[in-house]
Amino acid sequence: LFVILGSYSGYTTARLAKMFKMKSWKIITVVGLFFPGTMFVMYIALNFVHWGSHASSATPFTTMLTMMALWFCVSLPLVFLGGAIGYRRDAIEMPRKVNSIARSIPPQPWYMNYPQSVLVPGILPFGAAFIESVFILSSIWQGRVYYVFGILGLVFLILIVTCAEATIVMIYFQLLNLDYRWWWRSFFTSASYGFWLFMYSILYYCTALSIRSWWSSVLYFGYMLMASYFCAVMTGTIGFMAAFVFVRKIYGSTKVD
């Protein structure tokens, strides 16, 4: 699914880049290489640990080549295909005319500054999915059977709604304080879920696991870092899309005489 949806990734990137008048194939290339590349580098580094300890769980070299072939021969071309289609579509129109001169931003309250403005809202989606996170970690690292996939789907839906609502509320407060720099904050606000997930993985390591081998600890934190990074990108995208729709809706409904 990740490989096939590369076309959607390139299409979305092209539409947003064209909206900002930043039409460039370098942006599409970065989209096709950055996230899969960082995940692949971390996975290779952890696989070297498996190979060094002669573990049976090590991924064979031929399988790694197959994964790279899927990436470069299928995923990356689909990203460029989606980018080509997106660049041919009309640019997304702004709901209102944007001033060419940026306005000065007044001093913000302490709770609207980094890092607390993006870290604190991430507690809400993490709390919504906390119980299922415990069950999933127990299934992965303690060998317990996980079978409540229906509840997992419901919790995932709750996670999406919570990420969207928390981001919209924070962006609304930010706009009320005349701070229009909402783009990256909308991403990091809900992406902080990944930060809290990794922090909990540290607590879980100290309280629930009895790992004594140093290399096993490296594997644990390496895989949890990959999972937290993936969840941060996923929830950050949800928050950005929710804020994007919200901002377009509120500014599109205003009347300018």
Side-chain angles (χ1 to χ4, degrees):
L1 285 178
F2 181 84
V3 170
I4 295 174
L5 289 176
S7 57
Y8 182 78
S9 174
Y11 176 82
T12 306
T13 303
R15 294 297 306 278
L16 291 175
K18 196 171 182 179
M19 182 183 68
F20 284 107
K21 299 179 180 179
M22 297 171 57
K23 184 177 179 180
S24 173
W25 287 104
K26 293 181 180 180
I27 301 176
I28 306 298
T29 305
V30 170
V31 169
L33 295 178
F34 181 76
F35 178 73
T38 52
M39 292 288 283
F40 199 73
V41 167
M42 288 189 289
Y43 185 71
I44 290 178
L46 294 175
N47 205 44
F48 276 126
V49 177
H50 285 287
W51 286 339
S53 57
H54 303 285
S56 60
S57 57
T59 303
F61 182 72
T62 55
T63 305
M64 303 290 287
L65 292 179
T66 303
M67 293 172 61
M68 292 186 65
L70 285 173
W71 177 18
F72 287 104
C73 300
V74 181
S75 178
L76 192 60
L78 286 177
V79 171
F80 283 108
L81 177 63
I85 297 175
Y87 279 145
R88 291 187 178 184
R89 294 288 302 274
D90 296 333
I92 301 175
E93 298 292 337
M94 297 290 185
R96 287 288 177 266
K97 185 178 180 181
V98 180
N99 292 331
S100 58
I101 302 176
R103 294 182 178 180
S104 59
I105 300 175
Q108 300 295 305
W110 65 270
Y111 55 85
M112 293 302 298
N113 296 322
Y114 287 99
Q116 60 269 18
S117 63
V118 296
L119 290 180
V120 175
I123 298 177
L124 295 176
F126 175 74
F130 171 74
I131 301 300
E132 291 303 311
S133 301
V134 175
F135 290 148
I136 292 174
L137 290 179
S138 299
S139 176
I140 295 175
W141 299 110
Q142 294 183 300
R144 297 176 182 175
V145 179
Y146 186 86
Y147 51 86
V148 285
F149 294 100
I151 297 179
L152 176 63
L154 179 61
V155 171
F156 181 68
L157 180 62
I158 295 174
L159 174 66
I160 294 175
V161 174
T162 308
C163 287
E165 290 180 346
T167 304
I168 288 174
V169 169
M170 291 303 299
I171 297 304
Y172 180 70
F173 287 152
Q174 180 179 343
L175 295 177
L176 286 180
N177 287 280
L178 304 180
D179 187 355
Y180 50 82
R181 300 170 300 181
W182 63 271
W183 295 88
W184 278 109
R185 181 170 293 186
S186 65
F187 178 83
F188 288 123
T189 297
S190 53
S192 60
Y193 168 81
F195 170 80
W196 293 112
L197 179 62
F198 188 74
M199 290 296 103
Y200 176 71
S201 69
I202 298 176
L203 179 63
Y204 188 83
Y205 174 84
C206 298
T207 57
L209 300 179
S210 57
I211 299 177
R212 297 180 179 178
S213 172
W214 187 83
W215 289 112
S216 298
S217 300
V218 171
L219 290 174
Y220 171 80
F221 286 111
Y223 284 125
M224 288 308 303
L225 179 62
M226 290 179 62
S228 301
Y229 175 45
F230 172 81
C231 290
V233 174
M234 178 187 68
T235 54
T237 303
I238 294 171
F240 167 74
M241 294 302 297
F244 183 74
V245 174
F246 171 73
V247 171
R248 287 180 61 85
K249 187 68 175 178
I250 61 174
Y251 280 99
S253 61
T254 56
K255 296 181 180 180
V256 180
D257 295 330

